[in-house]
Amino acid sequence: MLFGPASDPASLEFLRPIRELICQEGYAVVNDTDSEHRQEVCYSVGLTDKGLPELIAGMEDFTEFPQGSPGMLHHLARMLLARGGSYGEGDIFEFHGQWVRLVPETLYKAQCDVNLGLYGPKFSLLQVAPCSPNPTERKKVQPVCLN
């Protein structure tokens, strides 16, 4: 599937329910992990059809959010689509007390098998990263002291 879009019968059958969900909801969220199970992520599928970047988040990044990272991605995708789908790199959003920043992501693009199966490499990916409540200000930090 890495060089999609997928065309073999098994892949098409695997993608069929996801395509149906995209038709119903406008997008889907997929949970995935790398082959060694070192990194678990969730990502959006279907936003590419609207000319928008797909979104990805680490499962450990939003454990405090209701239903974790998948719940946060669902909520964020709905909110962004309701606002007309205008978002991009560096944008900052707040919902339910959680601040997030959209940052470029390329490392996990090869892990997004469903997007690769649907679009091949022709999709862009933004990571949803947690950020501070006032993301325009840097937090004051103590200098590192080297002995």
Side-chain angles (χ1 to χ4, degrees):
M1 245 195 251
L2 291 178
F3 301 102
S7 58
D8 63 282
S11 294
L12 291 174
E13 186 59 27
F14 170 77
L15 294 170
R16 188 179 52 75
I18 296 168
R19 285 182 193 268
E20 290 172 1
L21 186 59
I22 292 169
C23 286
Q24 291 171 7
E25 302 293 326
Y27 70 96
V29 172
V30 174
N31 298 348
D32 210 343
T33 186
D34 68 7
S35 58
E36 283 95 37
H37 299 279
R38 295 170 299 189
Q39 179 71 36
E40 192 172 1
V41 297
C42 59
Y43 58 89
S44 66
V45 180
L47 299 175
T48 299
D49 294 334
K50 296 167 180 43
L52 300 168
E54 299 293 350
L55 305 171
I56 190 169
M59 293 297 252
E60 71 282 357
D61 290 341
F62 298 98
T63 56
E64 309 264 327
F65 198 83
Q67 289 125 14
S69 292
M72 184 276 310
L73 266 189
H74 275 296
H75 185 85
L76 181 60
R78 274 190 237 122
M79 181 185 81
L80 294 174
L81 290 173
R83 290 182 176 184
S86 178
Y87 61 90
E89 177 183 332
D91 286 352
I92 299 166
F93 302 97
E94 183 272 334
F95 49 90
H96 297 289
Q98 175 66 61
W99 287 88
V100 299
R101 179 186 309 268
L102 302 181
V103 297
E105 176 56 67
T106 56
L107 180 63
Y108 291 108
K109 191 171 183 179
Q111 193 175 324
C112 297
D113 288 344
V114 176
N115 278 327
L116 289 166
L118 290 174
Y119 310 115
K122 297 184 189 236
F123 69 96
S124 60
L125 190 62
L126 291 174
Q127 180 180 354
V128 181
C131 65
S132 67
N134 190 350
T136 59
E137 291 180 12
R138 291 183 62 131
K139 290 183 179 179
K140 290 186 178 182
V141 296
Q142 295 296 321
V144 175
C145 179
L146 299 175
N147 292 330

